[in-house]
Amino acid sequence: MKNFLFDTVAIDAEEIQLLDDTYKELKIKFKIGVPDQSEQFINKFEIFNNIPGARLGGTLLINYPSVNCYLNFVKFSYQNSMGGRGGKGGQVTQYDKYQVWAFADLKSDFGRILIRRETFTDKILEIIHPVELKFNDDRVFSNLFYVVANDREKAKAAMTRAFRKILVEMMYKDFVIEIINTVMVIRTIQPVTPDHTISLAEFINKISQLT
């Protein structure tokens, strides 16, 4: 597709239409820009580097030209096998799908942090080997989220009540947040749709505006 903002190699027509619809909805809600350098530091993050074959297919700046939060559209490859027996002799089709990840430049230095929804296994392991960063004055947040940090004092100071409140409001079951000093990335495994992308953009916009 000529002048399309996303890499469409190995992307089917339905996915391209969803990307186009998503872009149009974002333009209604936000002032959208396109960066000069598309990488946007994504390679710094472990949650990107630990996924074989993940690659960046497009970036949109939110609230341009302030450029303190943006969306990266990340491509993943999948294979579909048809026919054959025992996985042999059949036809293998490779196709790509997108996920949308949100990024923000933060005003405080968080050190290095990983945040995700807490699981029952986390609770059991915490009894044996306590490493989780807890907020005793915020039981709702601490019961919902699993937080590990390389500098606990710096992380606790940066993760203010206002910051934690926004995370509780987000409530995606599948999200993972990684923060490196003053840059934050949110990964969800939801497919790209206009509604999901708008919600993610609204959330990262709230985070980026915190003082």
Side-chain angles (χ1 to χ4, degrees):
M1 186 180 294
K2 189 176 180 180
N3 297 324
F4 200 55
L5 296 173
F6 306 98
D7 176 9
T8 58
V9 175
I11 298 292
D12 62 26
E14 182 181 359
E15 187 86 349
I16 292 173
Q17 187 61 58
L18 280 171
L19 288 168
D20 190 40
D21 293 344
T22 297
Y23 175 64
K24 289 174 181 175
E25 289 295 320
L26 282 169
K27 284 180 66 177
I28 293 171
K29 193 84 176 181
F30 301 94
K31 292 182 179 179
I32 299 298
V34 179
D36 294 330
Q37 296 180 350
S38 61
E39 284 301 318
Q40 293 294 315
F41 310 110
I42 194 170
N43 292 323
K44 292 169 55 177
F45 293 92
E46 291 300 319
I47 60 173
F48 179 79
N49 292 326
N50 288 339
I51 304 174
R55 56 215 185 275
L56 189 60
T59 301
L60 296 178
L61 306 174
I62 304 298
N63 290 334
Y64 184 80
S66 64
V67 195
N68 60 350
C69 59
Y70 46 96
L71 302 175
N72 275 328
F73 292 78
V74 183
K75 290 180 73 176
F76 297 84
S77 293
Y78 300 87
Q79 288 187 345
N80 184 32
S81 299
M82 298 181 64
R85 292 185 177 181
K88 297 181 180 180
Q91 182 179 1
V92 177
T93 303
Q94 182 169 313
Y95 61 97
D96 287 355
K97 290 288 185 181
Y98 270 102
Q99 292 175 7
V100 58
W101 297 14
F103 288 71
D105 295 323
L106 307 171
K107 295 180 174 67
S108 299
D109 185 349
F110 285 66
R112 190 144 195 169
I113 299 178
L114 183 73
I115 306 170
R116 58 173 170 75
R117 289 297 298 270
E118 188 166 43
T119 66
F120 178 74
T121 301
D122 293 331
K123 296 179 186 295
I124 298 300
L125 290 176
E126 186 66 16
I127 298 172
I128 302 168
H129 184 56
V131 296
E132 183 183 359
L133 179 63
K134 286 287 190 180
F135 295 84
N136 294 327
D137 62 336
D138 191 344
R139 301 304 301 171
V140 172
F141 179 86
S142 290
N143 288 336
L144 286 173
F145 298 107
Y146 182 79
V147 182
V148 289
N150 70 338
D151 187 327
R152 296 171 70 88
E153 294 306 315
K154 182 182 286 187
K156 256 196 168 174
M159 292 179 64
T160 62
R161 182 170 290 276
F163 177 88
R164 299 194 305 268
K165 183 175 184 291
I166 293 175
L167 292 194
V168 170
E169 290 173 354
M170 180 179 171
M171 291 295 289
Y172 286 126
K173 291 183 179 180
D174 62 357
F175 81 84
V176 177
I177 292 174
E178 185 179 349
I179 303 174
I180 301 177
N181 301 122
T182 59
V183 183
M184 173 182 184
V185 56
I186 307 167
R187 179 202 172 189
T188 77
I189 61 173
Q190 299 282 341
V192 176
T193 64
D195 288 345
H196 169 63
T197 306
I198 290 293
S199 295
L200 197 55
E202 289 174 341
F203 169 77
I204 202 66
N205 183 48
K206 286 182 181 179
I207 288 289
S208 71
Q209 292 179 3
L210 288 175
T211 56

